C-alpha cells in the first residue's frame, strides 16, 4: 500500500479568537486507499489537535461527516483522496452557520425536521393484541427509497433556494414527510400538509434538482418534492372547485 | 401555517411547460421554414384563416398561447427572484397580469377571425 | 467557551456563477424568455391574421428579416433545451408503479420522446397538407 503526499486546504474558524474563517493548508502523507475523513483524522492525530469536525461511523451510515469538498457537498468518509488532483479544499457544509472549523450549526434543520412529523401517525390505533400493521411489498416499495435518508444535510448544502430563502423547509425534511405520506399505514398527511403545503414548504422549491444529485444514499428528494407539488395542486382544485366533496 | 395558494399558478405553469415541450419546437420550425421561404399550407393566409375559423382551431390556438404565456410568466417570476429581485409580489402581479392580458387579446383576435 | 456562529453571506444575484450545475439550471430557467417571446410572436400573428390578408402577409415578410431569422433560430435552440430538460425529469414528478416494481425512468422519458416525435411529425404533415 503506497503512501503519497496530499495537500489539504481547510477552512478554520475559532469563535473565541477569529473574526472570520480563514483557510489553513496542511501537507500530510496519506495512504492510497484513504478517504478525506482519514486524512482529517491523521491531521488531528499528528499535526493539529485543534481541528474540529464531526464524524462517527466512517461508513456512510451516520450522516455526520458532511462537508464541502472542492465546493461539492460530500460525506468525508465516502470521498477517496485518489479521486482528487491537486490541493483538496475542505469547507463546512454550505448555507449552515459555522460553529467551529468544519462543524456547522444544524438547529435549523433539526427544527424543520421535527415540524414535518417524520414518524408514523397510524390511521387508527389498534391494540397490540390485533397484531402488526400489515403491508404488502408493493406498498413498502412505494416509499422505501426515502427511508434511506441519513439526515446528512448534503441536500441542503446543495440547494440554492435554501441558501437564498432560509425559511424554506428544504429537501430532506419534505422528502421524509413524503415518505410517511406514502406509507399505507399512515394517516398523518393532513397534519404534515400544514407545513409542507405552505409557501415555505414545497413552493419555495424551483426544481434545481441538485439535492438528488448529491445524495450519498441515492434518495431522490427532488422527485418527492415534485410529487408533493402535484398532490397539493390536486388538493387545491378539489377544495376550491368541488367544495361539496369532503376532504 | 396556512396552506399556500401557489397550486393555482403552479398547476398552469406545469400544464404550460408540458404543452410547450411538445409543440413549441415544431411551431418554431414551421415559422422558421416560412421565414426561409418555405411557407407551409397552414401558415399561408388561407390555410391559417381556415384553421382559425373553426372552433377547434380557435381553441387549440388559444390554449397554446395562454398556457405558453403563463408558463413563461411563472418561470420568469422565479428567475427574477433567482437573479436577486426580491420584490416577488409586484413581479408576480405584473407577470401574471401580462400573461392574462395577452391571453384575452388572443381570444379577441381569434373571435374576430 | 462562547458560541459565536459565523454566517457566510450568500450573494443574492450571483450565487449561480462558477457552479456548472447551477448554470445549467439558470440556462433552463432562461428558456422562459424565449418561450414567452415566441408566444408574443404567435399573438402578433393572430392579430395580423384578424386584420386581413395584407397585414398577415406583411407579418410573414417581417419574420423573414435577418433579425426575425436569428430570433427564431435562437428560440428553436432554447425551445429544444426546454423540451429535453422537461421530459428528462418526468419520472421524478410522475413515477409509475405497476404491481411491485416502478417503471424504469428511461421508459417514461422514452415514451415522452416518442410522443413528442409523433406530435412533431403529425403537425408537420398536417401543416404541409392544409
Amino acid at each position: 500500500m503506497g503512501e503519497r503526499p496530499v495537500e489539504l486546504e481547510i477552512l478554520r474558524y475559532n469563535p473565541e479568537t477569529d473574526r472570520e474563517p480563514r483557510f489553513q493548508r496542511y501537507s500530510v502523507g496519506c495512504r492510497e486507499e484513504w478517504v478525506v475523513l482519514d486524512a482529517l483524522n491523521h491531521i488531528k492525530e499528528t499535526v493539529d489537535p485543534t481541528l474540529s469536525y464531526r464524524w462517527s461511523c466512517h461508513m456512510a451510515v451516520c450522516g455526520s461527516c458532511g462537508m464541502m469538498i472542492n465546493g461539492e457537498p460530500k460525506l468525508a468518509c465516502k470521498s477517496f483522496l485518489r479521486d482528487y488532483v491537486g490541493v483538496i479544499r475542505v469547507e463546512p457544509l454550505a448555507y449552515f452557520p459555522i460553529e467551529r472549523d468544519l462543524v456547522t450549526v444544524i438547529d435549523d434543520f433539526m427544527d424543520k425536521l421535527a415540524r414535518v412529523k417524520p414518524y408514523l401517525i397510524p390511521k387508527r390505533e389498534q391494540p397490540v393484541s390485533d397484531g402488526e400493521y400489515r403491508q404488502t411489498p408493493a406498498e413498502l416499495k412505494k416509499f422505501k427509497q426515502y427511508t434511506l435518508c441519513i439526515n446528512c444535510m448534503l441536500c441542503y448544502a446543495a440547494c440554492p433556494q435554501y441558501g437564498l430563502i432560509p425559511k424554506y423547509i428544504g429537501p430532506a425534511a419534505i422528502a421524509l414527510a413524503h415518505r410517511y405520506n406514502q406509507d399505507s399505514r399512515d394517516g398523518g398527511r393532513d397534519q404534515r400538509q400544514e407545513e409542507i403545503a405552505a409557501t415555505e414548504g414545497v413552493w419555495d422549491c424551483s426544481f434545481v434538482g441538485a439535492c438528488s444529485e448529491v445524495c450519498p444514499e441515492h434518495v431522490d428528494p427532488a422527485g418527492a418534492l415534485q410529487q408533493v407539488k402535484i398532490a397539493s395542486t390536486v388538493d387545491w382544485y378539489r377544495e376550491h372547485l368541488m367544495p361539496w366533496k369532503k376532504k | 401555517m396556512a396552506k399556500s395558494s401557489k397550486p393555482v399558478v403552479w398547476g398552469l405553469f406545469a400544464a404550460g411547460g408540458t404543452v410547450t415541450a411538445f409543440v413549441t419546437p415544431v411551431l418554431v420550425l414551421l415559422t422558421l421554414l416560412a421565414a426561409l421561404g418555405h411557407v407551409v399550407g397552414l401558415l399561408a393566409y388561407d390555410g391559417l384563416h381556415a384553421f382559425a375559423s373553426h372552433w377547434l382551431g380557435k381553441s387549440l390556438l388559444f390554449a397554446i398561447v395562454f398556457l405558453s404565456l403563463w408558463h413563461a410568466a411563472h418561470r420568469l417570476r422565479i428567475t427574477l427572484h433567482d437573479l436577486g429581485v426580491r420584490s416577488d409580489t409586484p413581479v408576480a402581479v405584473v407577470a401574471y397580469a401580462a400573461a392574462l392580458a395577452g391571453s384575452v387579446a388572443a381570444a379577441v383576435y381569434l373571435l374576430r377571425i | 467557551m462562547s458560541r459565536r456562529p459565523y454566517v457566510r453571506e450568500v450573494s443574492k444575484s450571483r450565487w449561480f456563477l462558477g457552479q456548472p450545475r447551477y448554470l445549467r439550471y439558470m440556462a433552463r430557467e432562461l428558456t422562459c424568455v424565449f418561450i414567452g417571446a415566441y408566444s408574443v410572436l404567435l399573438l402578433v400573428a393572430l392579430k395580423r391574421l384578424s386584420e386581413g390578408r395584407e397585414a398577415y402577409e406583411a407579418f410573414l415578410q417581417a419574420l423573414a428579416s435577418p433579425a426575425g431569422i436569428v430570433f427564431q433560430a435562437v428560440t428553436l435552440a432554447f425551445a429544444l433545451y426546454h423540451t429535453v430538460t422537461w421530459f428528462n425529469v418526468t419520472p421524478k414528478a410522475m413515477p409509475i408503479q405497476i404491481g411491485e416494481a416502478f417503471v424504469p425512468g428511461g421508459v417514461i422519458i422514452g415514451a415522452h420522446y416518442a410522443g413528442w416525435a409523433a406530435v412533431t411529425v403529425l403537425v408537420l404533415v398536417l401543416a404541409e397538407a392544409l
Side-chain angles (χ1 to χ4, degrees):
Chain A
M1 277 180 235
E3 195 170 287
R4 67 185 176 103
V6 171
E7 281 206 83
L8 293 113
E9 206 171 47
I10 301 175
L11 197 69
R12 304 292 313 269
Y13 173 65
N14 181 343
E16 283 143 50
T17 56
D18 297 343
R19 283 178 57 86
E20 53 185 32
R22 68 205 146 75
F23 279 103
Q24 187 169 346
R25 191 167 294 205
Y26 298 92
S27 303
V28 280
C30 292
R31 290 215 196 152
E32 194 55 38
E33 73 277 14
W34 276 5
V35 289
V36 170
L37 180 59
D38 294 316
L40 294 177
N41 285 338
H42 187 60
I43 291 170
K44 191 170 174 79
E45 282 159 17
T46 63
V47 185
D48 187 348
T50 67
L51 184 63
S52 299
Y53 50 95
R54 289 196 182 99
W55 72 287
S56 176
C57 76
H58 200 293
M59 49 192 274
V61 171
C62 76
S64 318
C65 68
M67 45 191 80
M68 307 301 285
I69 301 178
N70 283 355
E72 182 82 356
K74 289 275 188 191
L75 292 181
C77 68
K78 235 188 143 186
S79 304
F80 286 91
L81 293 172
R82 59 170 175 260
D83 294 335
Y84 296 90
V85 283
V87 183
I88 303 172
R89 184 173 265 229
V90 185
E91 296 162 85
L93 280 183
Y95 309 136
F96 291 94
I98 306 174
E99 183 77 57
R100 174 184 293 263
D101 296 345
L102 300 173
V103 177
T104 52
V105 182
I106 60 171
D107 302 10
D108 181 57
F109 171 68
M110 297 310 288
D111 167 59
K112 286 168 177 166
L113 187 60
R115 267 165 47 200
V116 305
K117 306 191 178 180
Y119 39 81
L120 206 69
I121 302 172
K123 271 195 192 111
R124 47 186 180 83
E125 288 289 349
Q126 61 186 43
V128 177
S129 57
D130 283 7
E132 308 86 344
Y133 293 91
R134 302 185 69 127
Q135 194 161 53
T136 66
E139 287 167 335
L140 170 67
K141 187 110 188 210
K142 213 172 168 149
F143 62 82
K144 179 107 192 281
Q145 61 139 327
Y146 304 114
T147 67
L148 301 177
C149 174
I150 57 173
N151 301 334
C152 65
M153 292 166 282
L154 296 196
C155 53
Y156 283 77
C159 174
Q161 299 303 354
Y162 177 62
L164 295 168
I165 311 168
K167 276 184 160 180
Y168 170 39
I169 293 178
I174 294 175
L176 281 165
H178 185 61
R179 172 249 175 277
Y180 288 96
N181 288 345
Q182 295 286 87
D183 193 318
S184 60
R185 303 162 295 180
D186 185 88
R189 181 166 180 268
D190 285 346
Q191 297 177 44
R192 294 188 198 99
Q193 283 294 95
E194 291 294 316
E195 294 290 338
I196 67 174
T199 304
E200 287 88 44
V202 78
W203 299 111
D204 276 337
C205 163
S206 61
F207 205 173
V208 179
C211 51
S212 299
E213 287 172 28
V214 303
C215 178
E217 304 298 320
H218 308 294
V219 179
D220 183 9
L225 269 88
Q226 307 324 304
Q227 291 162 39
V228 171
K229 283 182 197 173
I230 292 176
S232 304
T233 302
V234 171
D235 282 357
W236 193 92
Y237 278 105
R238 207 172 264 163
E239 279 168 33
H240 289 81
L241 300 183
M242 298 184 271
W244 61 89
K245 270 211 172 165
K246 279 193 73 171
K247 273 212 287 184
Chain B
M1 236 187 297
K3 277 192 198 170
S4 172
S5 54
K6 283 257 178 87
V8 208
V9 293
W10 185 83
L12 289 171
F13 158 77
T18 307
V19 166
T20 49
F22 276 105
V23 305
T24 305
V26 68
L27 292 182
V28 182
L29 188 62
L30 285 176
T31 54
L32 188 58
L33 283 176
L36 295 173
H38 180 72
V39 181
V40 294
L42 175 68
L43 287 191
Y45 178 77
D46 293 323
L48 194 56
H49 196 273
F51 185 76
S53 297
H54 196 274
W55 63 268
L56 191 61
K58 281 193 211 302
S59 317
L60 271 174
L61 289 169
F62 177 76
I64 291 173
V65 171
F66 168 55
L67 290 174
S68 314
L69 279 175
W70 192 276
H71 170 81
H74 181 78
R75 200 165 239 185
L76 188 66
R77 172 193 180 185
I78 310 272
T79 306
L80 287 174
H81 191 269
D82 287 340
L83 290 171
V85 180
R86 282 297 127 129
S87 32
D88 181 55
T89 307
V91 166
V93 169
V94 170
Y96 298 137
L100 287 178
S103 305
V104 170
V108 169
Y109 300 144
L110 280 165
L111 290 175
R112 277 189 198 152
I113 295 166
Chain C
M1 281 230 298
S2 62
R3 286 190 65 183
R4 199 162 55 83
Y6 182 85
V7 177
R8 290 164 284 181
E9 282 298 320
V10 180
S11 163
K12 298 223 183 307
S13 53
R14 281 172 291 117
W15 54 270
F16 49 88
L17 297 176
Q19 273 270 10
R21 181 182 288 135
Y22 294 168
L23 286 172
R24 281 199 301 277
Y25 161 75
M26 287 307 275
R28 184 193 83 187
E29 296 303 279
L30 279 179
T31 59
C32 76
V33 173
F34 294 90
I35 298 281
Y38 192 76
S39 316
V40 172
L41 186 146
L42 290 181
L43 189 60
V44 172
L46 293 181
K47 180 172 192 291
R48 294 280 180 267
L49 185 68
S50 74
E51 287 164 358
R53 185 181 299 272
E54 247 171 67
Y56 182 71
E57 270 157 14
F59 165 76
L60 283 185
Q61 288 279 311
L63 277 189
S65 70
I69 290 174
V70 169
F71 166 72
Q72 292 180 81
V74 176
T75 299
L76 183 59
F78 275 94
L80 288 171
Y81 191 63
H82 165 65
T83 299
V84 169
T85 52
W86 194 269
F87 287 162
N88 285 357
V89 295
T90 47
K92 289 178 184 286
M94 299 177 292
I96 301 168
Q97 192 179 20
I98 297 177
E100 201 178 313
F102 276 92
V103 175
V107 173
I108 297 176
I109 296 171
H112 278 88
Y113 278 105
W116 181 36
V119 167
T120 303
V121 169
L122 192 72
V123 171
L124 285 176
V125 169
L126 289 180
E128 191 71 62
L130 256 172

